[in-house]
mmCIF file with all atom_site columns, all heavy atoms in Angstrom:
data_model
loop_
_atom_site.group_PDB
_atom_site.id
_atom_site.type_symbol
_atom_site.label_atom_id
_atom_site.label_alt_id
_atom_site.label_comp_id
_atom_site.label_asym_id
_atom_site.label_entity_id
_atom_site.label_seq_id
_atom_site.pdbx_PDB_ins_code
_atom_site.Cartn_x
_atom_site.Cartn_y
_atom_site.Cartn_z
_atom_site.occupancy
_atom_site.B_iso_or_equiv
_atom_site.pdbx_formal_charge
_atom_site.auth_seq_id
_atom_site.auth_comp_id
_atom_site.auth_asym_id
_atom_site.auth_atom_id
_atom_site.pdbx_PDB_model_num
ATOM 1  N N   . ALA A 1 106 ? -8.200  0.354  3.723  1.00 0.00 ? 106 ALA A N   1
ATOM 2  C CA  . ALA A 1 106 ? -7.096  -0.602 3.893  1.00 0.00 ? 106 ALA A CA  1
ATOM 3  C C   . ALA A 1 106 ? -6.965  -1.496 2.654  1.00 0.00 ? 106 ALA A C   1
ATOM 4  O O   . ALA A 1 106 ? -5.893  -2.024 2.380  1.00 0.00 ? 106 ALA A O   1
ATOM 5  C CB  . ALA A 1 106 ? -7.320  -1.447 5.143  1.00 0.00 ? 106 ALA A CB  1
ATOM 6  N N   . ALA A 1 107 ? -8.058  -1.643 1.922  1.00 0.00 ? 107 ALA A N   1
ATOM 7  C CA  . ALA A 1 107 ? -8.026  -2.504 0.734  1.00 0.00 ? 107 ALA A CA  1
ATOM 8  C C   . ALA A 1 107 ? -7.513  -1.773 -0.510 1.00 0.00 ? 107 ALA A C   1
ATOM 9  O O   . ALA A 1 107 ? -7.297  -2.383 -1.552 1.00 0.00 ? 107 ALA A O   1
ATOM 10 C CB  . ALA A 1 107 ? -9.425  -3.057 0.469  1.00 0.00 ? 107 ALA A CB  1
ATOM 11 N N   . GLU A 1 108 ? -7.313  -0.463 -0.410 1.00 0.00 ? 108 GLU A N   1
ATOM 12 C CA  . GLU A 1 108 ? -6.804  0.312  -1.556 1.00 0.00 ? 108 GLU A CA  1
ATOM 13 C C   . GLU A 1 108 ? -5.287  0.104  -1.679 1.00 0.00 ? 108 GLU A C   1
ATOM 14 O O   . GLU A 1 108 ? -4.588  0.007  -0.680 1.00 0.00 ? 108 GLU A O   1
ATOM 15 C CB  . GLU A 1 108 ? -7.046  1.814  -1.331 1.00 0.00 ? 108 GLU A CB  1
ATOM 16 C CG  . GLU A 1 108 ? -8.496  2.216  -1.229 1.00 0.00 ? 108 GLU A CG  1
ATOM 17 C CD  . GLU A 1 108 ? -9.174  2.332  -2.585 1.00 0.00 ? 108 GLU A CD  1
ATOM 18 O OE1 . GLU A 1 108 ? -8.472  2.459  -3.612 1.00 0.00 ? 108 GLU A OE1 1
ATOM 19 O OE2 . GLU A 1 108 ? -10.416 2.281  -2.602 1.00 0.00 ? 108 GLU A OE2 1
ATOM 20 N N   . ASP A 1 109 ? -4.796  0.106  -2.921 1.00 0.00 ? 109 ASP A N   1
ATOM 21 C CA  . ASP A 1 109 ? -3.335  0.033  -3.108 1.00 0.00 ? 109 ASP A CA  1
ATOM 22 C C   . ASP A 1 109 ? -2.704  1.411  -2.946 1.00 0.00 ? 109 ASP A C   1
ATOM 23 O O   . ASP A 1 109 ? -1.556  1.544  -2.555 1.00 0.00 ? 109 ASP A O   1
ATOM 24 C CB  . ASP A 1 109 ? -2.999  -0.478 -4.512 1.00 0.00 ? 109 ASP A CB  1
ATOM 25 C CG  . ASP A 1 109 ? -3.264  -1.965 -4.605 1.00 0.00 ? 109 ASP A CG  1
ATOM 26 O OD1 . ASP A 1 109 ? -3.222  -2.625 -3.551 1.00 0.00 ? 109 ASP A OD1 1
ATOM 27 O OD2 . ASP A 1 109 ? -3.548  -2.440 -5.714 1.00 0.00 ? 109 ASP A OD2 1
ATOM 28 N N   . GLU A 1 110 ? -3.463  2.428  -3.303 1.00 0.00 ? 110 GLU A N   1
ATOM 29 C CA  . GLU A 1 110 ? -2.932  3.786  -3.299 1.00 0.00 ? 110 GLU A CA  1
ATOM 30 C C   . GLU A 1 110 ? -3.922  4.719  -2.620 1.00 0.00 ? 110 GLU A C   1
ATOM 31 O O   . GLU A 1 110 ? -5.113  4.674  -2.928 1.00 0.00 ? 110 GLU A O   1
ATOM 32 C CB  . GLU A 1 110 ? -2.781  4.287  -4.735 1.00 0.00 ? 110 GLU A CB  1
ATOM 33 C CG  . GLU A 1 110 ? -2.348  3.238  -5.708 1.00 0.00 ? 110 GLU A CG  1
ATOM 34 C CD  . GLU A 1 110 ? -1.084  3.640  -6.373 1.00 0.00 ? 110 GLU A CD  1
ATOM 35 O OE1 . GLU A 1 110 ? -1.171  4.369  -7.357 1.00 0.00 ? 110 GLU A OE1 1
ATOM 36 O OE2 . GLU A 1 110 ? -0.011  3.265  -5.873 1.00 0.00 ? 110 GLU A OE2 1
ATOM 37 N N   . LEU A 1 111 ? -3.407  5.555  -1.765 1.00 0.00 ? 111 LEU A N   1
ATOM 38 C CA  . LEU A 1 111 ? -4.276  6.456  -1.008 1.00 0.00 ? 111 LEU A CA  1
ATOM 39 C C   . LEU A 1 111 ? -3.597  7.810  -0.881 1.00 0.00 ? 111 LEU A C   1
ATOM 40 O O   . LEU A 1 111 ? -2.396  7.879  -0.645 1.00 0.00 ? 111 LEU A O   1
ATOM 41 C CB  . LEU A 1 111 ? -4.425  5.841  0.387  1.00 0.00 ? 111 LEU A CB  1
ATOM 42 C CG  . LEU A 1 111 ? -5.705  6.023  1.149  1.00 0.00 ? 111 LEU A CG  1
ATOM 43 C CD1 . LEU A 1 111 ? -6.877  5.562  0.320  1.00 0.00 ? 111 LEU A CD1 1
ATOM 44 C CD2 . LEU A 1 111 ? -5.617  5.211  2.445  1.00 0.00 ? 111 LEU A CD2 1
ATOM 45 N N   . THR A 1 112 ? -4.390  8.871  -1.054 1.00 0.00 ? 112 THR A N   1
ATOM 46 C CA  . THR A 1 112 ? -3.865  10.219 -0.852 1.00 0.00 ? 112 THR A CA  1
ATOM 47 C C   . THR A 1 112 ? -4.747  10.924 0.161  1.00 0.00 ? 112 THR A C   1
ATOM 48 O O   . THR A 1 112 ? -5.977  10.842 0.072  1.00 0.00 ? 112 THR A O   1
ATOM 49 C CB  . THR A 1 112 ? -3.881  10.997 -2.185 1.00 0.00 ? 112 THR A CB  1
ATOM 50 O OG1 . THR A 1 112 ? -2.968  10.366 -3.082 1.00 0.00 ? 112 THR A OG1 1
ATOM 51 C CG2 . THR A 1 112 ? -3.472  12.447 -2.002 1.00 0.00 ? 112 THR A CG2 1
ATOM 52 N N   . LEU A 1 113 ? -4.123  11.596 1.124  1.00 0.00 ? 113 LEU A N   1
ATOM 53 C CA  . LEU A 1 113 ? -4.903  12.371 2.099  1.00 0.00 ? 113 LEU A CA  1
ATOM 54 C C   . LEU A 1 113 ? -4.480  13.834 2.021  1.00 0.00 ? 113 LEU A C   1
ATOM 55 O O   . LEU A 1 113 ? -3.280  14.135 1.923  1.00 0.00 ? 113 LEU A O   1
ATOM 56 C CB  . LEU A 1 113 ? -4.682  11.838 3.515  1.00 0.00 ? 113 LEU A CB  1
ATOM 57 C CG  . LEU A 1 113 ? -5.362  10.494 3.770  1.00 0.00 ? 113 LEU A CG  1
ATOM 58 C CD1 . LEU A 1 113 ? -4.411  9.348  3.560  1.00 0.00 ? 113 LEU A CD1 1
ATOM 59 C CD2 . LEU A 1 113 ? -5.926  10.431 5.158  1.00 0.00 ? 113 LEU A CD2 1
ATOM 60 N N   . LEU A 1 114 ? -5.458  14.711 2.068  1.00 0.00 ? 114 LEU A N   1
ATOM 61 C CA  . LEU A 1 114 ? -5.201  16.145 2.003  1.00 0.00 ? 114 LEU A CA  1
ATOM 62 C C   . LEU A 1 114 ? -5.581  16.768 3.346  1.00 0.00 ? 114 LEU A C   1
ATOM 63 O O   . LEU A 1 114 ? -6.737  16.675 3.770  1.00 0.00 ? 114 LEU A O   1
ATOM 64 C CB  . LEU A 1 114 ? -6.044  16.786 0.893  1.00 0.00 ? 114 LEU A CB  1
ATOM 65 C CG  . LEU A 1 114 ? -5.939  16.170 -0.513 1.00 0.00 ? 114 LEU A CG  1
ATOM 66 C CD1 . LEU A 1 114 ? -6.945  16.844 -1.461 1.00 0.00 ? 114 LEU A CD1 1
ATOM 67 C CD2 . LEU A 1 114 ? -4.515  16.307 -1.048 1.00 0.00 ? 114 LEU A CD2 1
ATOM 68 N N   . CYS A 1 115 ? -4.591  17.387 4.000  1.00 0.00 ? 115 CYS A N   1
ATOM 69 C CA  . CYS A 1 115 ? -4.847  17.997 5.312  1.00 0.00 ? 115 CYS A CA  1
ATOM 70 C C   . CYS A 1 115 ? -5.045  19.490 5.167  1.00 0.00 ? 115 CYS A C   1
ATOM 71 O O   . CYS A 1 115 ? -4.134  20.190 4.711  1.00 0.00 ? 115 CYS A O   1
ATOM 72 C CB  . CYS A 1 115 ? -3.672  17.769 6.254  1.00 0.00 ? 115 CYS A CB  1
ATOM 73 S SG  . CYS A 1 115 ? -3.254  16.041 6.462  1.00 0.00 ? 115 CYS A SG  1
ATOM 74 N N   . GLY A 1 116 ? -6.190  19.976 5.592  1.00 0.00 ? 116 GLY A N   1
ATOM 75 C CA  . GLY A 1 116 ? -6.455  21.416 5.565  1.00 0.00 ? 116 GLY A CA  1
ATOM 76 C C   . GLY A 1 116 ? -5.916  22.079 6.823  1.00 0.00 ? 116 GLY A C   1
ATOM 77 O O   . GLY A 1 116 ? -5.579  21.425 7.800  1.00 0.00 ? 116 GLY A O   1
#
Side-chain angles (χ1 to χ4, degrees):
E108 297 280 341
D109 286 335
E110 323 238 275
L111 212 54
T112 295
L113 287 96
L114 307 175
C115 304

